């Protein structure tokens, strides 16, 4: 046979990473050959090891099971009981007891059932002894009997032993492995990602003259698709007719699945066109696979149109179809529309399972429709579909995301009272919700309760709490949690250490951050780009830029290339120091290392130029960035606008602000603050300041009080009290003042005590923490 899988391997070597999912939703089917009678030689009967220790009490081990059998029980009756027995050792004892009954002779089906049960627990020596007993008793073998050995070895990742079954068949039992044996072996090797062994077994198949069939090609095509070698897989399919074989649906769908896994739905659709041209019949498997492809790429409208088109051609959606569409809609953020698919599913007579409901509940939770999710949970219960832990945890997590932590806690409490045992995911959701809503002490109490109830915290639990402690600058407690992780045996990852390094850097404790950095190497935790960038940024902010540069060199030695964040951190240091020459050198180094400056880089450089008084150069740089086609951010405009106002170039500053509105990202709160402050103190027309204050409030920004006070004084001096009262009213409304606060300030204004009114306005705004409203 001219066809050789090895030739494809030589042209397209296997990549190192092969941990990929099965690319097709089904496995090749195998048809058992006809029974073959074998001559047997006499040998001494041996008792399998699982029975040897209890052989003296075999007759009393299974009184209840034995009593289920009639005195003259048939092989069929014994087989039914063996299949219901979940304990493999018990099943074997029952089999041994039955075998000793004088009227009973085990059949091949009974022997194969025992072999399967022994294979499930990896009792391979016992399996071989049973096989030898079968040989002694001249039981009629079939090739399929040896399939049990291949599958059992593969279940325990004993692939060399699985291959050895071929030798056992021929050398010990005189049965030559055929196409079906090789297909099964090749398939388990592919599923186990033992792709080098696939090459070896296939070469052996060719050497022994075993004829390949369509299933053989399908398995080898699946192997190529698992290693993203789609083109060789297509060439292999095209070679099938040379060997008198016609590609079937499985052949085409395997390649389609390969394309879909690579995110290339259009490639899969081209294969489908070939399938149609070849007049190969398509089942729901093909249609559902393509629906999955559309949904995976977020092409939901096309998926729905495709289903409609297929239905017009006779396609009947099944449970998989509905679940795929529901999952696709939920992943795309259209969970409410997915409910319509659920209604169609029910109308077509399909019962949604727990998987269907969990997808919908998760999707609804993601878009904030928590009440809809809870109603869906009630629908599950009404339809006798039992929720599982995933269902409950999803709802608890959704409630926490919506800051309804109290409701989530109460929900968990009610579930616990009804027998639901919270797991680590339940606790993690509640702890995370409590941390995000500022109830850290309650989160720690729950953490202690979690441990007391015997639920071991995982890495995520600790990371949530460590992150929260670092944000609160309670760094000593964060380190204690790290020690707790170590003593409890909980795995610590780079995320844990990165969080701590970031916390210590922000807390201006760089030495401690460096110690944690060094600990990572001692504990075998690989440092990543985030680790280095965090410490480099901390060193730069502590003005230890030389050490930051040395750390960048170490980073490169460890095989990590500096990115924009790395360079921007060092650039920020020189810009803050006003050293524009060194800042420009950093940008040059960045470019020469193949790291293109981004808008943050340029914004930082513009800020440095403005700080150094080189406003004209900053303005020219702003124009050159525009020429590059970059979308400018307020962080690039704000320093130039601020510098222009400081030089009393008010008109230029306002013109640049309006340019930002029209051509760049929308101005931020700091942009409005700069302009309002500049206009209010720039000596220009007061109406311009009034109009701008109204404009910024309409955009959701409350004027800074010190600048507003300047405007208020100007209005008062010009006898424009009516305008002042109007502006104060707008501020109170925008800041959601209480009725009593509004009444008090309006009272002062009514009796013309403007100073008292403004002082009260300032006090109330400060009590509301106004900086969070308008300050970056």
């Amino acid at each position: 046979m001219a066809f050789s899988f090895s030739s494809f391997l030589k042209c397209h070597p296997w990549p190192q990473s092969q941990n990929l999912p099965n690319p097709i939703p089904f496995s090749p089917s195998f048809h058992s050959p006809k029974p073959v009678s074998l001559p047997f030689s006499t040998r001494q009967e041996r008792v399998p090891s699982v029975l040897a220790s209890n052989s003296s009490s075999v007759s009393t081990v299974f009184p209840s099971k034995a009593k289920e059998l009639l005195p003259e029980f048939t092989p069929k009756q014994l087989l039914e009981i063996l299949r219901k027995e979940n304990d493999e050792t018990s099943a074997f004892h029952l089999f041994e007891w039955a075998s000793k009954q004088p009227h009973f002779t085990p059949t091949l089906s009974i022997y194969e059932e025992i072999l399967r049960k022994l294979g499930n627990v990896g009792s391979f020596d016992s399996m071989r002894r049973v096989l030898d007993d079968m040989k002694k008793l001249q039981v009629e073998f079939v090739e399929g009997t040896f399939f049990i050995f291949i599958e059992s070895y593969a279940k325990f990742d004993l692939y060399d032993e699985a291959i050895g079954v071929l030798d056992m068949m021929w050398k010990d039992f005189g049965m030559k492995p055929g196409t079906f044996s090789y297909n099964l072996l090749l398939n388990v090797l592919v599923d186990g990602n033992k792709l080098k062994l696939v090459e070896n077994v296939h070469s052996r198949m060719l050497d022994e003259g075993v004829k390949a069939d369509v299933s053989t090609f399908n398995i080898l095509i699946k192997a190529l698709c698992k290693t993203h070698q789609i083109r060789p897989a297509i060439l292999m399919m095209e070679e099938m007719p040379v060997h008198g074989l016609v590609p079937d649906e499985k052949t085409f769908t395997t390649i389609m699945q390969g394309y879909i896994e690579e995110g290339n739905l259009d490639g899969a659709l081209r294969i489908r066109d070939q399938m149609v041209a070849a007049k190969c019949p398509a089942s729901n498997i093909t249609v559902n696979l393509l629906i999955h492809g559309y949904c995976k790429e977020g092409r939901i409208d096309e998926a729905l149109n495709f289903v409609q088109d297929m239905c017009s051609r006779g396609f009947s959606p099944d449970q998989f179809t509905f679940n795929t569409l529901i999952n696709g809609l939920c992943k795309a953020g259209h969970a409410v529309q997915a409910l319509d698919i659920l209604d169609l599913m029910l109308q077509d007579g399909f019962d949604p399972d727990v998987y269907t409901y969990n997808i919908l509940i998760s999707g609804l939770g993601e878009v904030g429709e928590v009440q809809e999710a809870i109603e869906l949970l009630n629908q599950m219960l009404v339809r006798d579909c039992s929720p599982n832990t995933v269902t409950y945890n999803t709802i608890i997590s959704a409630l926490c995301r919506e800051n309804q932590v109290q409701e989530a806690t109460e929900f968990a409490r009610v579930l616990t009272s009804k027998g639901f045992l919270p797991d680590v995911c339940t606790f993690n959701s509640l702890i995370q919700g409590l941390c995000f809503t500022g109830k850290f002490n309650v989160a720690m109490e729950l953490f202690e309760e979690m441990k007391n109830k015997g639920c071991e915290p995982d890495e995520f639990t600790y990371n949530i709490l460590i992150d929260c402690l670092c944000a609160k600058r309670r760094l000593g407690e964060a380190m204690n949690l790290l020690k707790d992780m170590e003593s409890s045996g909980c795995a610590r990852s780079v995320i844990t250490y990165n969080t701590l390094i970031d916390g210590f850097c922000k807390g201006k404790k760089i030495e401690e951050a460096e110690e944690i950095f060094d600990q990572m190497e001692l504990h075998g935790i690989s440092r990543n780009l985030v680790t280095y960038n965090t410490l480099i940024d901390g060193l730069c902010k502590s003005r230890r830029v030389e050490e930051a540069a040395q750390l960048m060199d170490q980073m490169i030695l460890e095989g990590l290339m500096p990115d924009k964040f790395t360079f921007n951190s060092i650039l920020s240091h020189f810009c803050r120091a006003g050293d524009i020459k060194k800042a420009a050198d950093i940008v040059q180094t960045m470019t020469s290392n193949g790291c293109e400056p981004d808008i943050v880089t340029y914004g930082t450089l513009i800020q440095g130029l403005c700080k150094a008084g080189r406003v004209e150069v900053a303005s020219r740089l702003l124009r050159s960035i525009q020429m590059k086609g970059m979308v400018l951010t307020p962080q690039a405009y704000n320093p130039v606008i601020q510098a222009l106002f400081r030089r009393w170039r008010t008109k230029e500053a306002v013109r640049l602000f309006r340019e930002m509105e029209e051509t760049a990202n929308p101005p931020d709160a700091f942009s409005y603050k700069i302009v309002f402050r500049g206009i209010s103190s720039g000596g220009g027309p007061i109406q311009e300041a009034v109009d701008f204050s109204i404009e910024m409030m309409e955009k959701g920004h409350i004027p800074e009080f010190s600048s507003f006070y300047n405007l208020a004084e100007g209005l008062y001096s010009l006898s424009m009290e009516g305008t002042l009262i109007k502006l104060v009213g707008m501020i109170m409304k925008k800041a959601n003042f209480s009725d009593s606060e509004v009444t008090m300030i309006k009272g002062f204004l009514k009796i013309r005590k403007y100073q008292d009114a403004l002082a009260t306005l300032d006090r109330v705004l400060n009590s509301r923490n106004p900086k969070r409203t308008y300050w970056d």
Side-chain angles (χ1 to χ4, degrees):
M1 183 171 71
F3 160 72
S4 172
F5 186 61
S6 302
S7 63
F8 285 92
L9 292 171
K10 289 173 184 175
C11 298
H12 308 275
W14 302 113
Q16 291 300 311
S17 177
Q18 298 167 350
N19 296 320
L20 301 169
N22 189 337
I24 52 175
F26 46 78
S27 300
S29 56
F30 303 102
H31 306 283
S32 299
K34 295 179 180 179
V36 178
S37 297
L38 300 175
F40 294 95
S41 58
T42 305
R43 60 181 293 170
Q44 185 176 355
E45 182 177 351
R46 298 168 64 185
V47 180
S49 58
V50 294
L51 179 64
S53 59
N54 297 314
S55 57
S56 60
S57 58
V58 167
S59 60
T60 59
V61 171
F62 296 98
S64 60
K65 292 292 181 184
K67 287 177 181 176
E68 291 182 29
L69 295 168
L70 297 171
E72 297 294 323
F73 63 87
T74 64
K76 182 179 178 182
Q77 290 169 332
L78 176 63
L79 183 60
E80 288 176 357
I81 292 178
L82 287 173
R83 285 174 175 168
K84 293 176 184 177
E85 178 57 64
N86 295 322
D87 182 80
E88 288 79 4
T89 304
S90 300
F92 189 85
H93 284 310
L94 179 59
F95 162 74
E96 189 67 16
W97 171 85
S99 299
K100 293 182 180 296
Q101 305 309 305
H103 70 280
F104 178 74
T105 301
T107 61
L108 176 63
S109 297
I110 291 174
Y111 276 114
E112 288 184 342
E113 183 63 28
I114 289 301
L115 288 172
R116 287 190 193 94
K117 290 194 179 297
L118 291 171
N120 286 337
V121 295
S123 187
F124 299 114
D125 289 341
S126 299
M127 290 177 70
R128 180 56 195 260
R129 288 168 187 159
V130 169
L131 202 62
D132 289 340
D133 289 341
M134 293 171 66
K135 181 176 180 180
K136 178 194 169 188
L137 296 171
Q138 298 188 9
V139 175
E140 193 174 20
F141 281 82
V142 293
E143 193 175 355
T145 305
F146 296 94
F147 294 177
I148 301 170
F149 281 81
I150 293 173
E151 290 171 336
S152 299
Y153 280 127
K155 179 181 176 181
F156 289 90
D157 297 332
L158 298 171
Y159 295 103
D160 289 332
E161 288 81 352
I163 295 171
V165 173
L166 300 178
D167 294 323
M168 178 178 74
M169 290 173 68
W170 176 243
K171 293 179 182 178
D172 297 348
F173 295 91
M175 179 175 286
K176 184 177 180 181
T179 304
F180 301 108
S181 296
Y182 274 102
N183 283 351
L184 176 65
L185 182 56
L186 287 169
N187 196 54
V188 298
L189 291 172
V190 172
D191 288 344
N193 292 310
K194 298 299 176 182
L195 301 173
K196 183 62 180 174
L197 295 178
V198 171
E199 178 185 0
N200 297 338
V201 171
H202 181 253
S203 297
R204 175 172 173 172
M205 183 179 182
L206 295 177
D207 292 342
E208 294 184 3
V210 178
K211 185 176 176 60
D213 62 6
V214 174
S215 288
T216 315
F217 275 88
N218 288 345
I219 295 163
L220 298 176
I221 287 170
K222 179 167 71 167
L224 289 167
C225 289
K226 282 177 79 94
T227 54
H228 307 288
Q229 299 190 66
I230 308 298
R231 182 58 188 162
I234 294 171
L235 292 174
M236 187 172 285
M237 178 178 70
E238 291 172 352
E239 193 176 330
M240 290 175 70
V242 176
H243 304 283
L245 301 171
V246 178
D248 61 8
E249 181 187 21
K250 205 172 300 180
T251 319
F252 288 108
T253 52
T254 301
I255 298 176
M256 287 183 210
Q257 180 75 5
Y259 271 123
I260 289 169
E261 289 298 323
E262 288 193 338
N264 186 357
L265 175 63
D266 292 333
L269 292 172
R270 288 195 298 272
I271 297 298
R272 187 231 177 191
D273 291 340
Q274 290 184 31
M275 182 178 175
V276 172
K279 297 182 179 180
C280 176
S283 68
N284 278 26
I285 291 173
T286 304
V287 179
N288 285 336
L289 179 61
L290 292 171
I291 294 169
H292 165 69
Y294 279 115
C295 292
K296 185 174 182 284
E297 293 190 11
R299 296 159 64 173
I300 305 300
D301 289 340
E302 292 175 77
L304 295 171
N305 290 335
F306 177 69
V307 173
Q308 190 173 8
D309 180 48
M310 288 296 100
C311 288
S312 68
R313 298 167 187 259
F315 168 69
S316 296
D318 56 20
Q319 185 108 2
F320 186 89
T321 314
F322 287 113
N323 281 348
T324 303
L325 289 172
I326 288 170
N327 186 51
L329 283 164
C330 288
K331 289 287 172 61
H334 304 304
V336 176
Q337 290 82 352
L339 291 173
D340 295 334
I341 303 295
L342 178 67
D343 291 338
L344 287 173
M345 185 177 186
L346 293 167
Q347 289 173 22
D348 278 14
F350 291 99
D351 286 325
D353 55 17
V354 66
Y355 173 78
T356 316
Y357 282 111
N358 284 352
I359 293 169
L360 277 164
I361 288 171
S362 177
L364 290 166
E366 289 288 339
V367 296
E369 297 288 346
V370 184
Q371 195 54 47
E372 287 274 10
I374 293 172
E375 289 176 10
L376 208 58
L377 172 64
N378 293 330
Q379 184 186 127
M380 283 182 77
L381 298 170
V382 169
R383 299 188 64 83
D384 291 328
C385 181
S386 300
N388 58 18
T389 305
V390 174
T391 319
Y392 293 128
N393 283 344
T394 303
I395 288 180
I396 289 169
S397 179
L399 286 167
C400 290
R401 274 199 306 274
E402 293 299 307
N403 292 331
Q404 299 181 41
V405 183
Q406 186 174 346
E407 291 85 345
T409 307
E410 179 62 20
F411 182 70
R413 189 192 65 78
V414 171
L415 290 174
T416 304
S417 68
K418 294 187 177 182
F420 165 75
L421 295 177
D423 61 8
V424 66
C425 294
T426 317
F427 281 108
N428 284 349
S429 295
L430 292 171
I431 288 171
Q432 187 175 44
L434 289 165
C435 286
F436 285 171
T437 53
K439 297 177 181 176
F440 179 74
N441 292 336
V442 182
M444 285 302 296
E445 289 175 9
L446 190 60
F447 174 67
E448 294 300 329
E449 181 183 342
M450 174 185 186
K451 292 191 289 185
N452 293 336
K453 289 185 178 294
C455 183
E456 288 296 324
D458 62 8
E459 182 192 342
F460 187 70
T461 322
Y462 282 104
N463 285 346
I464 295 166
L465 295 171
I466 288 172
D467 183 58
C468 196
L469 284 167
C470 287
K472 293 176 178 292
R473 302 293 184 265
R474 291 161 64 173
L475 302 174
E477 294 173 69
M479 287 301 295
N480 289 336
L481 275 181
L482 180 67
K483 293 174 184 175
D484 191 19
M485 287 182 79
E486 184 177 355
S487 61
S488 66
C490 180
R492 290 156 293 162
S493 73
V494 66
I495 296 172
T496 313
Y497 285 96
N498 286 351
T499 303
L500 284 163
I501 291 170
D502 183 59
F504 277 96
C505 286
K506 287 177 178 174
K508 301 188 186 304
K509 295 188 175 183
I510 303 300
E511 290 77 10
E512 290 87 340
E514 289 176 296
E515 288 178 14
I516 296 168
F517 181 85
D518 293 336
Q519 282 181 27
M520 293 179 71
E521 187 173 13
L522 295 174
H523 292 294
I525 307 294
S526 297
R527 295 175 288 225
N528 62 14
L529 194 60
V530 175
T531 318
Y532 277 99
N533 282 345
T534 305
L535 189 53
I536 286 170
D537 189 56
L539 287 166
C540 288
K541 286 176 179 174
S542 297
R543 302 184 179 181
R544 294 166 57 183
V545 70
E546 294 301 327
E547 292 168 76
Q550 290 173 10
L551 196 60
M552 187 166 73
D553 291 338
Q554 179 182 334
M555 170 183 177
I556 294 169
L557 287 173
E558 291 195 12
L560 297 170
M561 291 305 296
D563 63 0
K564 293 172 186 177
F565 187 89
T566 322
F567 287 110
N568 287 344
S569 295
I570 299 175
L571 178 67
S572 295
H573 165 78
F574 289 120
C575 286
R576 281 195 299 269
D579 194 337
I580 299 304
K581 184 180 183 307
K582 285 190 177 179
D585 290 342
I586 292 296
V587 176
Q588 181 63 41
T589 304
M590 185 176 180
T591 306
S592 62
N593 277 274
C595 186
E596 281 298 314
D598 60 4
I599 193 61
V600 176
T601 312
Y602 288 118
T604 304
L605 192 54
I606 286 169
Q607 190 174 29
L609 287 165
C610 290
K611 186 174 182 179
R614 302 175 67 178
V615 183
E616 301 304 330
V617 178
S619 297
R620 288 199 297 272
L621 181 56
L622 197 64
R623 297 289 172 239
S624 68
I625 299 169
Q626 287 175 321
M627 296 295 291
K628 290 176 182 288
M630 286 188 177
V631 178
L632 296 175
T633 63
Q635 285 72 27
Y637 275 98
N638 288 346
V640 182
I641 294 170
Q642 189 172 37
L644 289 170
F645 272 121
R646 284 174 178 168
R647 284 160 179 74
W648 306 102
R649 294 160 66 175
T650 305
K651 288 184 179 179
E652 291 178 63
V654 172
R655 187 165 56 248
L656 199 58
F657 174 81
R658 296 305 177 190
E659 177 187 303
M660 174 169 51
E661 281 187 308
E662 293 174 7
T663 63
N665 283 340
D668 60 9
F670 190 55
S671 310
Y672 281 101
K673 175 183 176 177
I674 294 168
V675 177
F676 182 63
R677 179 189 290 173
I679 293 175
S680 299
S681 58
I686 196 167
Q687 189 59 46
E688 185 179 3
V690 170
D691 292 343
F692 192 82
S693 66
I694 293 171
E695 177 186 336
M696 73 183 293
M697 281 190 276
E698 288 174 347
K699 295 290 177 66
H701 306 291
I702 298 173
E704 178 193 27
F705 182 78
S706 60
S707 300
F708 181 75
Y709 186 83
N710 292 335
L711 175 60
E713 282 193 324
L715 291 170
Y716 182 72
S717 65
L718 294 172
S719 301
M720 298 175 65
E721 292 90 347
T723 303
L724 175 59
I725 292 170
K726 176 184 176 183
L727 292 177
V728 170
M730 290 181 68
I731 290 173
M732 292 191 293
K733 183 178 180 181
K734 183 63 64 177
N736 294 318
F737 278 33
S738 67
D739 291 342
S740 60
E741 291 165 345
V742 171
T743 302
M744 183 189 304
I745 293 171
K746 281 186 174 180
F748 283 129
L749 292 171
K750 190 173 183 179
I751 60 177
R752 302 177 64 82
K753 289 191 175 183
Y754 297 110
Q755 293 294 338
D756 291 339
L758 291 173
T760 306
L761 181 69
D762 183 26
R763 177 177 55 78
V764 175
L765 285 173
N766 281 330
S767 70
R768 303 288 178 85
N769 193 12
K771 286 187 176 181
R772 295 190 65 176
T773 306
Y774 61 75
W775 184 254
D776 240 357

